[in-house]
Amino acid sequence: MQTLAGDGHRNRKALFIDVLDASARIDLDGHVAEAWQKEWAAASGNRVSLLELAGRALTAGVCTWAGIPLSDRDLDRRASEFAGMIDGAGSFGPRNLRGRALRLRTEAWARQVLRDAPPETIAARVAGHRDADGQSIDERTAAVEILNLLRPTVAIARFIVFAALALHLHPEWRSRVAEHEETRLAFAQEVRRTTPFFPVVGGTAARDMEWDGVRFTRGDWVILDLFATNRDPQLWSDPCTFAPARFMSSEPHHNALVPQGGGSYEDGHRCPGEPATVDLLASAVGRLAAAEYTVPGQDFRVDLRRFPAQPEDGFVLIPA
């Protein structure tokens, strides 16, 4: 979908918007919550990387939601593959090569999954999608697109890690987040605003154009600085301060908060999974705020040169 433009892009985008409507997001959130409880209980009393725990819970939850059953062995493999692909996406060298190899292996799995998909499941809807010209998408394209539903959902684990770090550094928000849904949503949005997950996105100009005095020729690469936009002092007051309250009085302009791209969902390249991301992150924030766990000494530093960014130790905790 990311490589399409015009009617083709709008048609494919409509599929994602449709399968991630409000009812589907509630269903997805429920499956992830159930998987989270299982992973949390299994980790009780042990040191565990929250990045890995959240990744496994999101993998199990989103696959169940999509109609893709996973055995325990399958879960281990899929969670590891998704994590590797995400970790390699913004890198060069061995990490990127490993991510590419994992993608090829996972696409082969996805093709088989779609062949076996039960009717009326999300997986079956993706497999049966017809493009703007009325033609069914081919098997390889369908496999890529089901992974474009599954993998970004698992990537929310990194937002969850940064949320846990924010709760650790700002414990005064814990009780408020645990008790009030509005506060959970505001906290989640501030985590998304301040998180240096993927700090930039790139694309090519679809036509010759001029914007703000700068000329672009069709095909020119353009980089949108998400990290700087989310911290622009012209858009945000005291932008480097973590302040969830800024989201409790009003909604920001849609092109001011752009951790998952700008523009509109229907016609632009803004991620259609953004509402699901906010829902899943807010729910995870609520669970973390209400849970009992200890945080052992570790390295919380975040290297902004690393894509995707994360705390050095992935945020280690010991669930009670």
Side-chain angles (χ1 to χ4, degrees):
M1 178 178 67
Q2 293 95 329
T3 62
L4 298 174
D7 289 342
H9 179 259
R10 282 187 287 272
N11 171 277
R12 196 74 60 80
K13 197 77 170 289
L15 167 65
F16 284 77
I17 293 172
D18 186 42
V19 300
L20 288 167
D21 66 12
S23 175
R25 295 198 303 272
I26 292 172
D27 189 31
L28 173 59
D29 193 33
H31 285 301
V32 172
E34 183 177 347
W36 178 286
Q37 291 173 358
K38 180 179 178 180
E39 293 296 327
W40 190 268
S44 179
N46 299 309
R47 291 173 62 100
V48 62
S49 163
L50 180 60
L51 184 61
E52 294 180 7
L53 185 151
R56 284 178 59 84
L58 288 161
T59 299
V62 72
C63 284
T64 301
W65 169 79
I68 303 170
L70 295 178
S71 66
D72 289 343
R73 182 178 179 182
D74 285 339
L75 174 57
D76 291 340
R77 175 172 290 184
R78 299 287 86 82
S80 177
E81 288 178 356
F82 289 143
M85 284 189 286
I86 295 160
D87 194 53
S91 66
F92 297 95
R95 198 152 51 94
N96 182 269
L97 292 174
R98 178 174 181 269
R100 288 172 178 267
L102 289 171
R103 182 180 183 113
L104 292 174
R105 189 168 76 187
T106 310
E107 284 182 4
W109 166 80
R111 290 194 294 272
Q112 185 60 54
V113 160
L114 294 178
R115 294 184 200 119
D116 299 336
E120 309 304 321
T121 60
I122 299 294
R125 290 169 66 180
V126 172
H129 180 70
R130 292 181 178 274
D131 270 339
D133 59 4
Q135 298 297 310
S136 297
I137 58 176
D138 60 66
E139 186 180 69
R140 182 184 180 281
T141 299
V144 169
E145 297 298 31
I146 193 66
L147 292 180
N148 282 338
L149 274 173
L150 304 179
R151 186 183 59 254
T153 303
V154 178
I156 297 170
R158 272 185 164 75
F159 278 136
I160 293 173
V161 165
F162 279 104
L165 179 59
L167 283 171
H168 183 68
L169 297 176
H170 305 280
E172 68 276 11
W173 282 93
R174 183 176 292 275
S175 61
R176 296 171 64 184
V177 165
E179 295 170 6
H180 302 290
E181 181 179 3
E182 180 186 9
T183 308
R184 286 195 288 276
L185 287 169
F187 195 94
Q189 292 287 46
E190 184 70 342
V191 167
R192 295 175 66 242
R193 185 187 74 83
T194 57
T195 293
F197 181 177
F198 276 104
V200 298
V201 293
T204 56
R207 64 182 185 280
D208 294 350
M209 59 176 290
E210 181 175 333
W211 181 83
D212 200 25
V214 179
R215 291 289 304 171
F216 296 95
T217 301
R218 180 181 178 183
D220 282 351
W221 270 98
V222 182
I223 301 297
L224 172 61
D225 192 337
L226 307 178
F227 186 71
T229 303
N230 289 332
R231 294 167 179 258
D232 186 345
Q234 297 182 75
L235 303 173
W236 305 95
S237 62
D238 201 8
C240 293
T241 297
F242 185 84
R246 72 175 82 239
F247 290 101
M248 297 180 72
S249 57
S250 62
E251 285 291 321
H253 188 277
H254 69 283
N255 282 335
L257 182 65
V258 293
Q260 291 172 261
S264 70
Y265 296 122
E266 292 81 5
D267 297 319
H269 281 265
R270 193 182 196 101
C271 177
E274 185 173 36
T277 298
V278 175
D279 291 348
L280 291 169
L281 179 57
S283 293
V285 165
R287 288 192 292 270
L288 285 168
E292 293 185 12
Y293 58 88
T294 57
V295 180
Q298 59 194 280
D299 191 347
F300 293 124
R301 289 178 300 172
V302 177
D303 184 354
L304 296 181
R305 296 169 298 179
R306 188 188 197 280
F307 290 10
Q310 65 184 57
E312 286 293 327
D313 288 339
F315 202 89
V316 176
L317 50 74
I318 306 174

